[in-house]
Amino acid sequence: MQLSDKKATLSFSDGSPSVEFPVYQGTVGPDVIDIRKLYGQTGMFTYDPGFMATASCESAITYIDGDKGQLMYRGYPIDQLATNCDFLSVAYLIMNGELPDDRQKQEFDSLVTHHTLVHEQMHTFLQGFRRDAHPMAVLTGLVGALSAFYHDSTDITNPHHREVSAIRLIAKLPTLVAMAYKHSLGQPFIYPQNDLSYTGNFLRMMFATPCDDYKVNDVVERALDRIFILHADHEQNASTSTVRLCGSSGTNPFAAIAAGVACLWGPAHGGANEACLNMLESIQAQGGVAKVGEFMEKVKDKNSGVRLMGFGHRVYKNYDPRAKLMQETCREVLDSLGLHNDPLFKLAMELERIALEDPYFVERKLYPNVDFYSGIVQRAIGIPTSLFTAIFALARTVGWIAQWNEMLSDPNYKIGRPRQLYTGATARDVK
């Protein structure tokens, strides 16, 4: 963060003295006005519901330019990373700032691989959940419980403890998600296998049984690995901000990540791809492609209550760069599995065509986002809709833990404490 030559001046219409604030520049993106002394100098707070124009922190991890449809991890464009790297290479990049060389890659992969096994008592803990519990309810509990099993790495003031807990979280999330899935089916848990890749191991833990092993399909493995990469981090979104805010209190990393999992569960955030697939299945049940035009007309009617899921984004005002990659991946998976005539994919294509041609959607810049295609890919792989958000959490854990560690490494960090505009009753007495 570099101090700019220019300053920002706040003036008042009632004749109160104007106040100057410093302006800081990042490497790219908008400058920021430093208002940390605003209350002390004016007795006022800023009012910004949803933090639409507030930079809550300084970060060097992820950059998004929503107008250009640009997403970069540590300066690398997302399309280059998704095309040329695997998930663990991207995880190393997000955590350490640079892509690994061959030696670093081998050591990091081995370290993560040999931490995928969870404490055996976690199996007993899982038995306390109902079989029909939502996987995100189970995952929130399991991640939070890790601090009870791995309390030897919860000293957040110790950089080595932070590194160990980061590796444990990245390594064990696939195991925990697979365990949650197996629990819902009533099937035995499948232990990790160290000779498989991170993503291949997850697929095997998901779909193998003691009586029938699972052979990893290379196209499916690469597709899911790409989903992990595209979801690894996304700047200061709701769940990442939750992890930072929770972590700012000094809580242990497992509790902070569990808070991120809980936030991600919401349909406006991590649950969007689940909602998108439910929408496609609903249209298919009502008549399929022939009913798409009718559905889109209902979307345009504000009184209909019908929402178009998987289009538009809080940040992107252009085509979501992740969606382009996911569309390619979707075609590859459907062709590989012989599902190129999948009715939901045809529905998705028709929805996209109308959205990109109809002036109503074009003017509002409602382009397809990553959730629009990722749900179709996961469905084709055999992943149930209810597990989509848990897989999102698996991938996003890398970003969460990197953002958490970055915050704790900042000597200027303080516990988060937003202010408010109070509109309740004034002081009164009990009679």
Side-chain angles (χ1 to χ4, degrees):
M1 186 163 71
Q2 181 180 349
L3 185 65
S4 173
D5 294 333
K6 63 184 177 182
K7 294 182 181 295
T9 302
L10 177 62
S11 59
F12 302 91
S13 60
D14 64 356
S16 299
S18 60
V19 183
E20 282 193 343
F21 299 102
V23 174
Y24 287 94
Q25 298 172 323
T27 50
V28 289
D31 296 345
V32 298
I33 302 169
D34 185 352
I35 59 167
R36 283 175 286 186
K37 296 183 179 179
L38 175 67
Y39 180 65
Q41 292 179 298
T42 67
M44 297 181 181
F45 301 134
T46 57
Y47 181 65
D48 185 19
F51 307 107
M52 299 288 287
T54 298
S56 61
C57 64
E58 177 184 350
S59 181
I61 299 173
T62 299
Y63 175 72
I64 298 170
D65 187 323
D67 293 330
K68 294 180 180 178
Q70 183 182 46
L71 169 63
M72 297 188 297
Y73 297 158
R74 301 287 189 179
Y76 291 102
I78 189 63
D79 58 327
Q80 294 182 22
L81 292 172
T83 302
N84 300 312
C85 301
D86 68 4
F87 176 67
L88 285 186
S89 294
V90 173
Y92 185 96
L93 168 70
I94 290 173
M95 292 175 62
N96 298 289
E98 298 292 342
L99 285 167
D101 59 27
D102 291 342
R103 179 187 60 80
Q104 292 167 332
K105 168 69 172 165
Q106 184 178 2
E107 290 178 354
F108 185 73
D109 285 9
S110 177
L111 189 61
V112 171
T113 298
H114 288 88
H115 277 83
T116 51
L117 197 65
V118 299
H119 196 289
E120 194 68 13
Q121 283 186 290
M122 290 291 286
H123 294 179
T124 305
F125 181 80
L126 190 56
Q127 300 305 321
F129 291 97
R130 289 171 53 113
R131 295 282 183 194
D132 58 354
H134 194 285
M136 287 298 282
V138 176
L139 191 62
T140 303
L142 292 179
V143 173
L146 288 175
S147 59
F149 292 92
Y150 304 104
H151 49 77
D152 61 329
S153 61
T154 55
D155 180 1
I156 66 169
T157 64
N158 186 325
H160 178 66
H161 277 217
R162 298 206 300 265
E163 181 181 356
V164 170
S165 60
I167 294 297
R168 281 176 168 164
L169 278 159
I170 294 168
K172 297 181 191 306
L173 255 294
T175 309
L176 296 181
V177 172
M179 286 170 62
Y181 176 57
K182 289 296 191 184
H183 180 68
S184 71
L185 297 177
Q187 292 184 1
F189 304 129
I190 301 298
Y191 289 95
Q193 191 166 299
N194 290 345
D195 61 349
L196 294 175
S197 71
Y198 184 86
T199 306
N201 197 18
F202 173 66
L203 285 165
R204 180 179 174 277
M205 287 191 291
M206 284 279 293
F207 298 120
T209 66
C211 53
D212 189 13
D213 203 4
Y214 176 82
K215 182 174 176 55
V216 179
N217 179 306
D218 290 342
V219 174
V220 168
E221 180 181 5
R222 179 58 186 155
L224 191 57
D225 200 70
R226 179 171 286 185
I227 287 176
F228 291 167
I229 291 172
L230 298 181
H231 288 88
D233 195 52
H234 209 240
E235 206 223 58
Q236 305 310 314
N237 53 80
S239 58
T240 300
S241 298
T242 296
V243 170
R244 278 183 172 264
L245 188 60
C246 184
S248 74
S249 72
T251 191
N252 70 77
F254 305 108
I257 300 305
V261 174
C263 180
L264 190 71
W265 192 355
H269 192 7
N273 54 9
E274 183 177 344
C276 182
L277 193 63
N278 288 337
M279 174 193 73
L280 292 175
E281 290 177 339
S282 175
I283 298 172
Q284 180 63 25
Q286 295 170 20
V289 173
K291 295 294 183 178
V292 170
E294 182 181 323
F295 174 82
M296 294 297 262
E297 288 303 314
K298 290 180 181 178
V299 171
K300 292 190 283 186
D301 181 2
K302 294 181 179 179
N303 298 318
S304 70
V306 176
R307 292 187 60 196
L308 179 62
M309 305 303 297
F311 286 75
H313 195 277
R314 170 77 169 265
V315 175
Y316 296 112
K317 305 307 175 188
N318 201 322
Y319 207 105
D320 183 341
R322 302 169 301 169
K324 295 178 182 179
L325 294 161
M326 207 67 254
Q327 184 192 56
E328 296 171 6
T329 300
C330 189
R331 292 181 185 277
E332 291 171 4
V333 169
L334 294 177
D335 286 343
S336 174
L337 299 178
L339 300 173
H340 50 276
N341 289 321
D342 182 82
L344 292 194
F345 187 63
K346 290 183 177 180
L347 267 179
M349 290 290 92
E350 182 63 10
L351 281 171
E352 181 182 46
R353 184 192 67 78
I354 294 175
L356 295 179
E357 294 177 0
D358 190 309
Y360 178 89
F361 300 101
V362 173
E363 290 169 6
R364 289 163 176 77
K365 299 182 178 179
L366 293 177
Y367 301 104
N369 58 40
V370 67
D371 302 310
F372 187 62
Y373 291 106
S374 65
I376 300 174
V377 172
Q378 292 180 71
R379 174 179 173 271
I381 292 172
I383 297 169
T385 307
S386 62
L387 207 70
F388 288 177
T389 315
I391 288 175
F392 191 161
L394 185 168
R396 184 56 57 84
T397 295
V398 171
W400 288 335
I401 203 68
Q403 298 268 354
W404 170 82
N405 192 46
E406 182 182 60
M407 178 192 68
L408 292 179
S409 301
D410 183 352
N412 297 315
Y413 102 89
K414 297 179 176 63
I415 185 172
R417 181 43 169 100
R419 308 309 290 256
Q420 65 177 11
L421 175 63
Y422 179 69
T423 56
T426 55
R428 50 184 173 172
D429 298 321
V430 178
K431 296 179 180 179

